[in-house]
Structures are given as structure tokens and as C-alpha cells.
Amino acid sequence: RSVNALVACWMPLSGGEPSPYFEWEYKGLNSASDTGWRPAPLLLEHLRNNHPDLKVLNLDGRGLGDEAALPLVRALEENTTVTSLRLGRNQMDEALGALAEILKTNASVTSVDVRQNDMGAGVAASWAALLATNATLTDLNLSSNQIGASAKDLAEALGKNSTLRTLSVEDCGIEDAAAVLLLEALGGSGVEEFRGANNRCLEKATRKRLRAWAKTQQ
């Protein structure tokens, strides 16, 4: 019997209904790099066809890289039924850049969680550009990505955005100068909830403001 196997995983998505959207691909102990979750064809089909029950695209913790994620991201370009993207704990960078471009004009997605991916500063700047034009997104979690100096771009974009209400940039390698600009921009934005702890700020006062930011204190 071959050790290679493709096993369908039934998991609850939007509304708790089970759907065979992922397959576990096991290629043996000597092929660990090729073993893991893969999107099943049904997921791509439902995204392309605007399946009415697929309102939450949940890829959280599947360990997907750009190659596996890009077809799903591109399918969102014509999708109008998905309202929430749970894409955390994967290995995406290029795919998140493509997603940012798509969401610039998307009118249905209101919540995006891309925490703990491989996003670099260049792609993070694309998310800042998204915030400057998108008028639908209300909840964005970018935590545990290498945003770094691109936090300055986020700060500038917040001045042009009136819909975002929740922003998370914890553990994003943000240093003092960029953090101060971001904090100043938050005060004049529509953001009501912000999380920015565990960055690379040397100034104690800045670290405290990032941890304990509250709209009422601005």
C-alpha cells in the first residue's frame, strides 16, 4: 500500500456547515516539504461561481505558500459573496500583494486577517495603498508581518480612509519614528480599536502608547 495519500478534510466554515475545501497531501517521511494542506478544487470552484454559502474564506493555519494561495486570491477579483478573509498563519507574500491590489476596488470584503505570514515591507506598502482607496474594509489585522518602515505609508493612508475601525500591527518590526507617525494618524482617523504591542521601539513612552492606545485618550 502506498504511503502517498490525499485525504479530504471536512471543516466548518461560514455558518458552521462542513465543506470539503481542503485536502491533506502526505508524501512520506522523506518528503516533508511536500506534505501539508492543499486547497481542494471545490474551494476554487465556489469562489469563482460566487457560491452563496461561502461568505468567509478561511485559510487560517493551513501553511499555504504563494503558489497554492494565488489561484484563490485571483478568484476573489470577480467574487461578490465573500465578506471576510481569514488568511492568518500561512506563508504568503506575493499572494498578499495581489490581494491588496484586488481589494482596492472590492465592495464586499469588510474584514481581513493576514497575521503571521511572510509579508515584507514592499507588500506592506501595497496594503497602505489599499487603505487609501478602499471604502469597504472595517477590520484589518496585519500583525506578525515585517511591516517595518512601511508603517509610515500606513500612517499616510489612514488620513485618506474613513471606514477602517479596527487595526492590528503587533510584532511588525515598527521602530520609533514610524510608530510616532502612525499614532498621530490614528488620532485623526476613524479607527476605534488599535493593537500595536511588541514592536521595535526604543522609547518607553512610545511603547506604552502603542500598547495602551485608546480613541478616548487622543
Side-chain angles (χ1 to χ4, degrees):
R1 192 179 195 177
S2 172
V3 296
N4 291 355
L6 205 57
V7 183
C9 172
W10 290 73
M11 63 171 289
L13 285 177
S14 177
E17 295 296 327
S19 296
Y21 282 161
F22 291 93
E23 297 168 336
W24 179 260
E25 190 170 14
Y26 177 66
K27 295 188 176 180
L29 297 178
N30 296 324
S31 302
S33 63
D34 295 323
T35 297
W37 293 109
R38 301 290 184 268
L42 184 63
L43 178 54
L44 188 58
E45 178 185 332
H46 281 188
L47 285 171
R48 287 173 173 168
N49 295 336
N50 283 295
H51 195 286
D53 292 336
L54 183 54
K55 299 184 183 302
V56 179
L57 178 57
N58 185 357
L59 310 183
D60 189 72
R62 297 292 167 179
L64 303 181
D66 289 324
E67 183 177 357
L70 271 169
L72 303 177
V73 167
R74 288 171 178 150
L76 290 169
E77 192 164 10
E78 302 297 330
N79 184 281
T80 58
T81 56
V82 172
T83 60
S84 178
L85 303 177
R86 296 175 57 186
L87 313 183
R89 299 187 299 154
N90 285 289
Q91 300 165 19
M92 305 179 208
D93 181 42
E94 181 185 350
L96 295 182
L99 178 60
E101 287 299 314
I102 290 170
L103 292 181
K104 281 183 178 179
T105 55
N106 181 280
S108 55
V109 173
T110 60
S111 176
V112 177
D113 181 352
V114 294
R115 74 192 189 285
Q116 295 182 38
N117 271 279
D118 286 340
M119 183 192 299
V123 170
S126 298
W127 282 81
L130 152 70
L131 287 179
T133 60
N134 181 281
T136 307
L137 195 62
T138 61
D139 186 359
L140 177 60
N141 189 343
L142 298 172
S143 292
S144 298
N145 286 290
Q146 289 305 308
I147 291 176
S150 289
K152 296 179 181 179
D153 299 316
L154 286 176
E156 183 177 349
L158 285 175
K160 303 174 183 177
N161 183 287
S162 61
T163 56
L164 194 68
R165 295 293 177 265
T166 302
L167 176 64
S168 299
V169 290
E170 295 182 305
D171 187 28
C172 286
I174 301 172
E175 298 182 356
D176 288 270
V180 169
L181 290 175
L182 184 57
L183 287 164
E184 291 175 351
L186 283 165
S189 73
V191 173
E192 298 170 351
E193 182 179 345
F194 171 76
R195 293 183 291 275
N198 300 323
N199 277 288
R200 294 180 183 171
C201 298
L202 299 178
E203 294 293 333
K204 183 176 180 180
T206 304
R207 294 198 302 271
K208 182 177 180 180
R209 289 178 66 193
L210 286 172
R211 288 195 305 269
W213 186 89
K215 189 72 172 179
T216 55
Q217 296 176 0
Q218 302 308 304

